[in-house]
Amino acid sequence: MIFNADATVFFWINGLAGKVPFIDDIMSVLASDYLIPLVFALIIFALWFSGRDPESRWQNQRAALCALIAMGFANLAVEICNDFYDRLRPFELYPDAVNLLFYQPTDPSLPANTAAIGFAFAMGTWLVNRRVGLFLFTPALLLCFARVFVGVHYPLDIIAGAAIGIVVSFVALLVLWIGKPIPTLILKLARRLYLA
Amino acid sequence: MSLATEYFLLAFVCCLGVLQIVANANKLRGISFFKRPTLGYLFAALIIIGAISWFFITEDRIVPGLTGPDMALWFFVGASLAVITTLILSSLINRRMSPSMGDPEPEEKGLGVLKEITYFQAIRRHLRRGKQR
């Protein structure tokens, strides 16, 4: 029943594709492997060097580290899930009904890796820096919506991926807190080199 | 050019732009290429938008390509090179820079030093203090 509802929502969103070429192009670029992940990476990069005083810089650098650790954990968690469960992609299950605007990924549909990573980035940052973290949820949501729009994920894949991203962010924060001496050492070294 | 090289160039140019935005937003005069913040922001916007447009317009990017770890690696290489390039270029451009009158003493360590002096000047000062000890 959940999968039926999931397919209904999927077809409602994917049904919007193929109507306006300009919107299709925008969604394809948003869903691509390069644009939004690059935006995330650039924001984390900017965060590392931002802050008007040492205190705010320290907080930003912790946020960047937390986001990076969360992203690593999200990747790992999705890999583990993929070993246990393989849900077919929408275009594999309904080859004639899906408006596919993207290449055909070969990995399992559930959980959505992009959603896990996007939400891990946003949540990992939000846990340490609320303002930037909140902003990062916008590209994460755009990426997720675009992935459904172009026909490579069901909404449930996205929800599962997002849940993984959020959960692992708390784990990342815990790891950052437990292993505090290591990031402190990294930051001290970078500070000595005038890079943090 | 391979996709990896193109992605590396994209990351490198975007990081150069981001560093100029950060330098102007945080008043890190020592790593800024321009005296006027407006010019810095304009330069950053132009090279970031230019690089992203070049990357997406020249080739079809909706194809399977780099894996996540590959992208992370090439981004890291591009970002590192952008930092090195910025530090060298800004040190050369601002070589006559001196701490502005009336400003508080520069912080002892960290990026904050680059509000007042260039990276090369900071390294020189660090080495000189090391010798004095």
Side-chain angles (χ1 to χ4, degrees):
Chain A
M1 190 180 148
I2 289 175
F3 282 163
N4 282 343
D6 193 27
T8 307
V9 179
F10 167 77
F11 280 115
W12 182 74
I13 296 172
N14 183 246
L16 302 170
K19 289 189 173 134
V20 185
F22 176 67
I23 293 177
D24 289 351
D25 289 345
I26 289 180
M27 285 298 171
S28 301
V29 171
L30 285 176
S32 87
D33 302 337
Y34 305 105
L35 184 65
I36 292 185
L38 177 78
V39 170
F40 281 132
L42 290 175
I43 291 173
I44 296 300
F45 180 73
L47 207 54
W48 183 270
F49 294 97
S50 294
R52 286 184 181 258
D53 52 79
E55 201 57 43
S56 58
R57 264 204 308 280
W58 164 246
Q59 196 206 15
N60 287 339
Q61 284 152 3
R62 276 187 63 232
L65 286 175
C66 188
L68 286 175
I69 296 169
M71 188 200 69
F73 282 152
N75 237 327
L76 190 70
V78 170
E79 287 287 321
I80 292 169
C81 289
N82 287 347
D83 284 343
F84 289 100
Y85 185 67
D86 186 359
R87 187 187 192 188
L88 291 177
R89 298 265 180 178
F91 57 80
E92 290 175 302
L93 214 55
Y94 310 100
D96 299 324
V98 173
N99 293 315
L100 186 63
L101 304 177
F102 209 68
Y103 70 84
Q104 300 189 353
T106 50
D107 53 332
S109 191
L110 189 142
N113 197 10
T114 40
I117 287 177
F119 273 80
F121 253 126
M123 191 69 187
T125 310
W126 185 82
L127 288 173
V128 185
N129 186 325
R130 296 282 195 268
R131 206 160 51 96
V132 181
L134 204 61
F135 170 76
L136 279 175
F137 278 106
T138 310
L141 286 168
L142 268 176
L143 177 63
C144 293
F145 180 78
R147 285 272 173 169
V148 179
F149 186 95
V150 299
V152 291
H153 277 299
Y154 292 103
L156 194 62
D157 305 343
I158 299 292
I159 293 169
I164 288 175
I166 289 170
V167 170
V168 297
S169 302
F170 285 98
V171 179
L173 187 68
L174 192 70
V175 167
L176 200 64
W177 185 67
I178 292 171
K180 201 177 173 183
I182 297 168
T184 307
L185 193 73
I186 294 171
L187 289 173
K188 266 189 180 170
L189 188 71
R191 217 162 265 184
R192 271 189 171 273
L193 295 168
Y194 306 105
L195 293 173
Chain B
M1 223 188 302
S2 71
L3 178 61
T5 315
E6 287 175 346
Y7 188 75
F8 155 74
L9 281 176
L10 173 72
F12 169 70
V13 175
C14 287
C15 287
L16 269 186
V18 164
L19 277 172
Q20 285 311 298
I21 294 175
V22 169
N24 286 300
N26 297 290
K27 298 194 170 95
L28 296 170
R29 291 192 303 140
I31 57 167
S32 184
F33 293 164
F34 303 93
K35 281 208 171 80
R36 286 187 187 176
T38 322
L39 280 179
Y41 288 126
L42 193 68
F43 169 78
L46 279 177
I47 64 168
I48 291 172
I49 294 169
I52 292 175
S53 308
W54 160 76
F55 186 78
F56 280 97
I57 291 170
T58 51
E59 290 273 342
D60 179 17
R61 302 298 178 189
I62 319 300
V63 287
L66 296 175
T67 61
D70 281 343
M71 277 199 285
L73 172 75
W74 287 112
F75 184 86
F76 180 76
V77 176
S80 305
L81 201 66
V83 170
I84 294 169
T85 308
T86 299
L87 296 178
I88 294 174
L89 272 181
S90 59
S91 291
L92 293 174
I93 293 168
N94 303 316
R95 62 188 179 280
R96 293 186 203 288
M97 186 177 170
S98 55
S100 51
M101 297 289 284
D103 280 344
E105 271 289 295
E107 294 169 49
E108 270 299 305
K109 284 172 196 161
L111 265 178
V113 170
L114 304 178
K115 284 180 181 173
E116 293 297 314
I117 51 178
T118 68
Y119 191 74
F120 285 177
Q121 288 169 342
I123 294 288
R124 207 178 302 139
R125 196 180 71 174
H126 182 79
L127 292 174
R128 207 183 305 140
R129 282 187 183 174
K131 269 185 193 170
Q132 280 171 1
R133 276 182 211 142

